[in-house]
Amino acid sequence: MEKQILQQYTVLRHAGHFSTVHCDDINTKRVISRKTLRGLPAIVQWAKEFDGKGNLYIGRNPRTPSDKVAAITSLTIDIDPERPPKTAATDQQVEQAVDVANKVVAKYGPGSLLFTGNGVQVIYSWPALRANELEVFRAKSAEFTQALRKEFEIPGISIDAIHDPERLIKLAGSTSVKGEPSQWRRAKFLRLAPLPSIPVLKAIMSIQT
């Protein structure tokens, strides 16, 4: 678990900032724990305490002590199999999601691929954008989301929620608590990409809104 969290912490560029972590119960949506922590050791300690008690997430972008977005350092493209709520994806559905992810990186350049337990995320990151660019980035990345959907979505596979800088994403190394316990899987990186991911950032910021 520690190695996976370190890789995600590095890819998301959280060093020197705070990170928001969150654990909730999939059945009741009850928040089991939510904290804003500083530093990798604190995140690992928290993850070990709550892994398996609910689904664990980390804020995609680094935070201030008051849980505000401190800077925009990354974007994630969520590629998920469509399935009934609270159920696990099949192996075949996961393979389809990975195929779509590979097509995205073939067009927009290398991105780190995180298996979330039921789907896959393409993570792109770069040196921090200023916080005052948040609204511009939000608008442009929303347009980018629509373009991705038109080009890459296929029946049974959706692309979702990449444009919100406050987005929480699956904590690498944690257990995806969905379906029967026998179907639980750990989130893990399938591939790590060189940093930074400048081509996709240029593609987003060049969009006219």
Side-chain angles (χ1 to χ4, degrees):
M1 174 184 280
E2 294 95 328
K3 181 179 179 180
Q4 290 287 323
I5 295 175
L6 170 61
Q7 290 172 340
Q8 189 174 41
Y9 187 81
T10 301
V11 168
L12 296 178
R13 296 174 178 264
H14 281 203
H17 297 279
F18 286 81
S19 304
T20 292
V21 291
H22 178 100
C23 173
D24 64 28
D25 185 306
I26 187 175
N27 295 309
T28 65
K29 297 300 182 182
R30 178 177 65 90
V31 176
I32 298 171
S33 175
R34 185 183 177 98
K35 293 185 176 182
T36 303
L37 304 174
R38 187 177 181 90
L40 182 64
I43 296 171
V44 171
Q45 181 179 357
W46 177 88
K48 288 181 175 179
E49 179 180 355
F50 290 100
D51 187 47
K53 297 179 181 178
N55 285 301
L56 306 190
Y57 302 92
I58 186 168
R60 183 176 70 202
N61 288 301
R63 305 300 175 100
T64 66
S66 59
D67 196 18
K68 303 296 184 182
V69 172
I72 299 169
T73 60
S74 64
L75 174 141
T76 52
I77 300 172
D78 298 346
I79 302 170
D80 289 315
E82 296 173 352
R83 60 194 190 280
K86 304 177 186 178
T87 62
T90 66
D91 290 343
Q92 182 179 10
Q93 287 175 316
V94 171
E95 289 176 4
Q96 287 180 314
V98 172
D99 286 344
V100 172
N102 285 329
K103 291 177 181 177
V104 171
V105 299
K107 177 168 183 176
Y108 289 104
S112 296
L113 265 59
L114 176 68
F115 169 60
T116 63
N118 290 284
V120 65
Q121 288 178 341
V122 183
I123 304 177
Y124 289 112
S125 67
W126 43 73
L129 298 180
R130 294 184 298 274
N132 62 6
E133 296 179 280
L134 187 150
E135 292 306 321
V136 172
F137 179 83
R138 190 196 304 271
K140 290 179 180 289
S141 56
E143 293 290 333
F144 185 62
T145 301
Q146 295 305 315
L148 287 170
R149 286 173 174 161
K150 289 179 181 178
E151 184 168 1
F152 295 109
E153 277 191 342
I154 60 174
I157 299 292
S158 64
I159 296 176
D160 193 25
I162 70 168
H163 60 275
D164 184 1
E166 289 86 6
R167 176 78 171 174
L168 298 171
I169 64 174
K170 184 70 72 176
L171 181 67
S174 68
T175 304
S176 179
V177 184
K178 289 187 178 179
E180 298 298 322
S182 62
Q183 298 175 301
W184 292 0
R185 308 178 179 107
R186 283 197 178 274
K188 63 181 180 180
F189 279 98
L190 303 177
R191 183 166 69 240
L192 290 168
L195 301 176
S197 309
I198 298 301
V200 71
L201 177 61
K202 288 183 176 179
I204 294 168
M205 298 305 281
S206 67
I207 292 174
Q208 299 299 316
T209 58

